[in-house]
Amino acid sequence: MLQKAEETAPLLAVNNIEVIYNHVILVLKGVSLSVPRGGIVAILGANGAGKTTTLKAISNLLRAERGEVTKGTIIFDGAEIQDQSPSDLVQRGCIQVMEGRHCFGHLTIEENLMTGAFTRKDGRGAIAADLEMVYDYFPRLRERRKSQAGYTSGGEQQMCAIGRALMSRPTTILLDEPSMGLAPQLVEEIFEIVSNLNTKEGVTFLLAEQNTNIALRYATYGYILESGRVVMDGEAKDLRENEDVREFYLGIGGEGRKSFRDVKHYKRRKRWLA
Amino acid sequence: MLYREAGDFKTTYREDNQTFPIKSERYLFWGAMLIAFCVVPFFVNSYWEKSVLVPLLVWSLVALGLNILTGYCGQVSLGTGAFMAVGAFACYKLMTAFPGMSIFFVVILSGGVTALVGMLFGLPSLRIKGFYLAVATLAAQFFLIWVFNKFAWFYNYSASGQITAPERTVFGIIVTGPNAAPWATYLFCLTFLFIFAWLARNLTRGRIGRSWMAIRDMDIAAEIIGVEPLRAKLSAFAMSSFFIGVGGALFFSVYLGAAEVTEAFGIDKSFLALFMVIIGGLGSILGSFLGAAFLVLMPVFLKNLFVGSLGWPTDVAAHIQIMLIGGLIIFFLIVEPHGLAQLWRLTKEKLRLWPFPY
Amino acid sequence: MSPAILNFIETCLNGLMAGVMYSLVALGFVLIFKASGIFNFAQGVMALFAALTLVGFQTGQVPFSHLINAIFGTDIHHWGGGMPTILAIVLAMGVMVLLAFLLERFVLKYLVNQEPIILFMATIGLAYFLEGLGDLMWGADIKRMDVGLPSGGSFWWEDLTRAWAPADADYYGMYIDTLDVSAAIIAAILVTGLTLFSQYTATGRALRAVADDHQAALSVGISLRRIWVIVWSLAGFVALVAGILWGAKSGVQFSLSLIALKALPVLILGGFTSIPGAIVGGLIIGVGEKLAEAYVGPLVGGAIENWFAYMLALAFLLFRPQGLYGEKIIERI
Amino acid sequence: MNVHMREDMSLHSMRADDGIAKGEELLKVDNISLSFGGVKAITDISFDIRKGEIRAIIGPNGAGKTSMLNVINGFYYPQEGTITFRGKRRRRVRPHETAREGIARTFQNIALFKGMSTLDNIMTGRITLQKRNMFWHGLWTGPAEREEIEHREAVERIIDFLEIEHIRKTPVGRLPYGLQKRVELGRALAAEPALLLLDEPMAGMNLEEKEDMSRFILDVNQQYGTTIALIEHDMGVVMDLSDRVVVLDYGKKIGDGTPDEVRNNQDVIDAYLGVPHEEA
Amino acid sequence: PSLSYRTGPYAPNGIPFADGYADYLTLINERDGGVGGVKIDNPECETGYNTEKGVECYESTKNVGTGALIYQPLSTGITYQLIPKVTADGISLHSMAYGRTSAMNGKVFKWVFNYPANYWDGATIAVHHAADMEGGSLEGKSIALVYHNSAYGKEPIRTLEEMSKEMGFKLTLIPVDHPGQEQKSQWLQIRRERPDYVFMWGWGVMNSVAIQEAANIRYPMDHFIGIWWSGSEQDVLPAGDGANGYKSLNFTGVGTDYPVFDDIQKYVVDAGKAAGDGTNLGTVQYNRGMYAAMLAVEAAKKAQELAGHADINAAEMRDGMEALDVTDATLEALGMPGFGPTVSVDCANHGGSGAALVQQWDASAKTWNAVTEFMPSDRELVTKLAMEDSEAFAAENNIEPRACE
Ligand SMILES: Nc1ncnc2c1ncn2[C@@H]1O[C@H](COP(=O)(O)OP(=O)(O)OP(=O)(O)O)[C@@H](O)[C@H]1O
Ligand SMILES: Nc1ncnc2c1ncn2[C@@H]1O[C@H](COP(=O)(O)OP(=O)(O)OP(=O)(O)O)[C@@H](O)[C@H]1O
Ligand SMILES: [Mg+2]
Ligand SMILES: [Mg+2]
């Protein structure tokens, strides 16, 4: 299944990385994945599987959490990037939208968006145009542009975080749970934006998502992580057809979608053991 | 494997709530206590007493107190020096006003007086937070020191403004004044520390401690959960001041023997105590001891190393020593921002995994 | 006007001037706090260090001479001749930039995303380190700071104001220290410049972002390294200015670092994050404490300035917990 | 190991008992308006929550759902309107007082106490139920210890119930998002509330975890009769679990009724659901 | 041992003193081969002017070698700390012109010496000097006391209050809080009230700021008189020319115009054995340190004489100190004629003669010049006050004063 990804030299390749927090907690136990140029790749997996950790390892934000990559390599655009600073990466076009929003609470929404353009050198005009673009995507933000981000609602903050990343005109976006806390309508919209950017501007996406259903609808390729290991990967459409995935991630058992009222009492999980 | 907890299972919640849940740790602790109470007193001389042990014990007590406030309840305070002064002056006034009272109760009462004063100065914490509060506590620091310096009643109108601890006894054993035997002052302080460490442990492991920590970690959420901020904060201020007051009383009566308020309880004491709890580990009882030990012993050690062993001129040695202490503080923070206590925990975790790296 | 009123005005005026001097120190705190959320305890020591370095260069001292002498048994202290003040200032500034650089490289880099109190502690470590280093480099003796700023009471002003009082009154005119006047001018320039910088440049915005959330700032591509070097250099520059002015007032020696304590009430009154706040806070504190000392002090035995400043600031905080101009503390759940 | 809830292991010993029969009004919100400076977060909203039901609050982002919960537990003071809880009208209370009256909640942006372990976090939930004062705690041995153990037992039941035994002693800061949400639920449950407010309890969870969470919520509701108000963006969950739904939009109420009514309400579809909710 | 402080806020004063003390002892060792053939061991211990470190220093040095003979604690705070301790340990403490003034009462303070002068002596001398300048009477004049708001600064208040009653001058008290960098209010007050004299009990940075401020308000500097701890080069240099004419008390000679300095240059500095870099010679604090060392050496000589052997112990040292009698002839013989006041100590009086001189700063030459001879203090008054205080201390601490004779 991996062959296809290897044919075109991947834009981003993660080779067998291990991540340790605090020198003692081993979280990733050899994760490899590759993201082709112009692709949308989804990382799926349960809570604590290590999705966020993987993304942070790529964008080099681990150090700030006292974590480190102890093994393996990460190659972006032909160069090893473990030793680069996150800002170098952003300059090279790879930006991360962090899980849990992380807006700058004391800055207004508009200032928050403007920080996204920090690394840009293409003049005020272009930045202003992009600002308009973000506001067009998220009209709600335009209404709240002068509010301090700390006081806005959870969903507004999430939009702000995504808009902020868009402001840097990235070529690659690492999206960590973009749908979290957003109204269903907006979730659709966000994924529309993703696919738009992807097709029109060739932006590459790597996204960690709990909403498997929608993620697999838009992604081209998917990886499933369980406790720090990749247990399965494949074309999105293949994954959608997979029995296990259907049962555990899409909730479609043999007899179609179950109501949440009817799920079994305390069923044991099935784990893929790698 | 040096350190194991495997095979040490708890069957009751009571056992699980123990201070030292792991057997080997428990033995280690009681062993250490045995040595501290029964062996050390026979060997302590006045140098060890006055330069190392008593300051260590007293500062541990103070650090413990500050840790309750700053480490457990999250209220950064820079008024420690002044609260120590309250303890010291309360102690002095009580000693001189009631010469017959046992010094033990005098010290406890001094703590009580300090607790009241601490609560008073803790009131602003209901509105003021973080570093704003830290700086605001300096108001207490400067104001109280000014009061003790200003009103001669506090130092019994002595011409010099100094207070000198008269000789007092416990069970007929002299513990204050110049004629106190090293072992006596040592044991006196150790007893206090032991009692108070136990008290601190009890307070922090139950409901009270949790309400403090909840306020520290997220005060709004804590309030919504049902923690009453007024009570939690004021009780932390009171308890912390109580400890610090007792520490101040011992500091003056047992350790220094004489003190002048501006010099003995200046703002540098406030900072020193804060260093101790941060270096040792915020929100950790063990950390209070480690921090106090680090900051009391390190200078003595460095001094003896440089001047005593290497024979450097005292001033060069002193300058380098200051630099080194600064450097070490930074170094430890880089290695483990959560203090020596956390370092110790991580070491244990590593030992547990030993010989595997993780 | 009666002398009593004139005296009152004089007290206020001098309070304002004293306040400006405090503000100069407070500014350094604000800069760093605003830019990284760090409460920089070392600001006072940085002022001392900057001043020591400046004087050292100016008078041509050999750094570390004491240590060198102790180790090699030599006897050197000056390398002969000093250097022009301007050059010395530039060099001292260079040292402060170097310091900022080293600091980022060896300390701050490892403390990204730590809690504020941890960073605070690190700056305390830094304060110790610099204190020892300053003494070791330049010696602990007291030095005279002379960069050619005028000082002493202004005759012109004294004569002018004497005429305001009735001719028969026992009045000598108002006093104002010319050094303070220069300080006020310098402070005004500094504050304007820094405010413009932080309000209207992308870097200024980035500074505030970093203060809010290190990790998020990293994630949008703000280079913490660059930001930190910039602000610590700026803070070094402010420290140098404060060091020059305070040094001219009281000589350059260890106690210079204690001026930080005078700046703290100013800081909380004005708000940790506001540059204009530092000035306004300074003025309020300055006037407040001078008036208190002059009119309340005699009633209670004097020397109340120190705690009064803190109490005044505390009183303001009870109404505005974030200081006059500080950013509101966000409370939302 | 399959944990079964034994009926006698009651989580709820008190509070549920307040003379209000199931199905009667537990909480009533009348004409609440709330604004911040120029921003109107809530405009003239009224609804009620009946004892024993699961009440969902939905609406687009920034509609004022979280603000509504904040008003209910006293964190925000509405400019207008009143709230009646268990028959008592109130306008201004401190949040810790509402907690004492039996309202517990979870938060949208997880608000766990990061420095504490899971166990301690959940124990904190019982703070309003513990009575021993500082003196006894200082002594520990005796009443305080007895009380602690008593409450510990209750908490252990909750831990069992939520299947988080293995992380009992882990500092919560290290837990993955989903588990943190679960711990937060545990903390709220520990208070044995009469009314439980859940703010997006399932955000950031995958299907399996949502199923688990749904189970927990239903169990709490069914076995102990705890009334629940929940905010959620996953329509599947909302429609399946809730008895009645309120829909907010821009601070206004645009719908209120059973899931089916709401699902077919045109206003709601326009403002929130977009396309009619698709199954799977 | 000498407890020195070469770091911290007061280092500028501490360094030259410690140098002077050490250099003189080195001189004795190098030139004379010690006292009576016994080399002096002077372990130095850095206190940073900090009480706890002082205690640590005391404890760490008191048993060095055969045991410490005498302590020079160099800080009022540490002195107070050590008074009970040395009494218990039986080691003499010499707090030269600082520390507890009432320690001059040897009946109560057997082990503590504070000759040649104390603060109260200083206060009376300053007043007398002012009176001399006014032609004998201070009636109707006003004196402002600018003091460090601490125990030390408050020392002269009692004395001055007594004297103001006696001599009819008006006394204004102006405290300055530690550290004293900002004294605008105080000097505005002085400027308005125009006291005829300003006395200063300052320390550290407070001194230089005060002198600077005084110059700024153009206060006549020769009417501004500081205690000896406010009168070193370090205090006046930062004020530059403005400090010209400022006066302070001192109890040693100034400058290097004494034969003994040749010896120090020869045996100590040129031999590379100086404690400092040799540039401090002749400064106020250096000379003071030397003087203190000289007194210690003389006391040791006396002690050897009394004990009849060279290897004296602490108790014998104390006897020597109590029998100390430094006359002009002694000073002459030591190569320091007129360097300090004569000192004669007895059982009851541990305070020496109490004499001091007034020196004045010459800013252009950057030197201090003595403007008076050593002036005696108002011993009667001082003794009276000291008795009151020491008796209170004795009562509080259950000390039975010695009989003496
Ligand atoms: N700072 C940290 N220190 C220690 N352990 C951590 C830290 N951050 C994460 N972990 C651990 O790493 C593991 C993986 O966490 P991660 O956040 O990457 O999971 P995730 O797949 O993103 O989960 P979720 O879906 O809940 O976001 C978890 O078990 C977590 O406990
Ligand atoms: N303390 C406050 N200060 C200013 N504005 C606020 C405050 N609290 C809420 N708001 C504003 O009120 C509106 C409603 O916010 P609320 O958090 O209730 O939305 P929500 O319905 O929970 O949205 P989401 O689904 O995105 O969480 C938002 O626009 C928000 O910006
Ligand atoms: Mg994640
Ligand atoms: Mg919300």
Side-chain angles (χ1 to χ4, degrees), chain A residues 140 144 153 155-156, chain C residues 332, chain D residues 61-62 64-67 76 108 233:
Chain A
R140 182 84 203 171
R144 309 298 321 259
S153 84
E156 287 160 351
Chain C
R332 192 173 189 277
Chain D
N61 296 117
K65 306 180 292 298
T66 303
S67 303
Y76 287 163
Q108 182 170 10
H233 284 303

Side-chain angles (χ1 to χ4, degrees), chain A residues 21 25 27 46-53 65 99 177 210, chain D residues 174-178:
Chain A
Y21 281 112
I25 306 165
V27 171
N47 285 135
K51 304 182 292 294
T52 302
T53 307
E65 300 215 20
E99 174 183 49
E177 310 221 4
Q210 294 280 20
Chain D
R174 285 190 198 169
L175 296 177
Y177 195 86

Side-chain angles (χ1 to χ4, degrees), chain D residues 193-210:
Chain D
L195 173 62
L196 179 61
L197 311 173
L198 303 175
D199 198 345
E200 303 197 9
M202 306 191 199
M205 294 195 171
N206 67 12
L207 187 89
E208 191 184 355
E209 290 150 350
K210 278 180 184 168

Side-chain angles (χ1 to χ4, degrees), chain B residues 127 129 132 146 275 315 337, chain C residues 66 118 124 272 318 322 331:
Chain B
R127 255 185 90 70
K129 292 180 182 149
Y132 286 97
W146 179 82
F275 301 170
D315 57 340
Chain C
H66 210 75
I118 304 295
I124 291 175
F272 277 129
L318 287 179
Q322 72 276 30
E331 296 203 327

Side-chain angles (χ1 to χ4, degrees), chain D residues 198-237:
Chain D
L198 303 175
D199 198 345
E200 303 197 9
M202 306 191 199
M205 294 195 171
N206 67 12
L207 187 89
E208 191 184 355
E209 290 150 350
K210 278 180 184 168
E211 286 176 353
D212 284 353
M213 202 63 159
S214 305
R215 202 59 257 163
F216 296 140
I217 292 172
L218 286 173
D219 276 350
V220 169
N221 176 254
Q222 285 163 3
Q223 296 188 14
Y224 313 114
T226 307
T227 315
I228 293 172
L230 93 132
I231 298 175
E232 188 45 66
H233 284 303
D234 184 323
M235 277 312 105
V237 171

Side-chain angles (χ1 to χ4, degrees), chain E residues 1-34:
Chain E
S2 66
L3 307 183
S4 63
Y5 50 102
R6 292 166 184 268
T7 56
Y10 306 116
N13 282 315
I15 294 169
F17 188 101
D19 286 351
Y21 198 82
D23 284 355
Y24 187 82
L25 296 181
T26 315
L27 172 72
I28 298 296
N29 281 344
E30 295 297 312
R31 187 187 63 191
D32 308 345

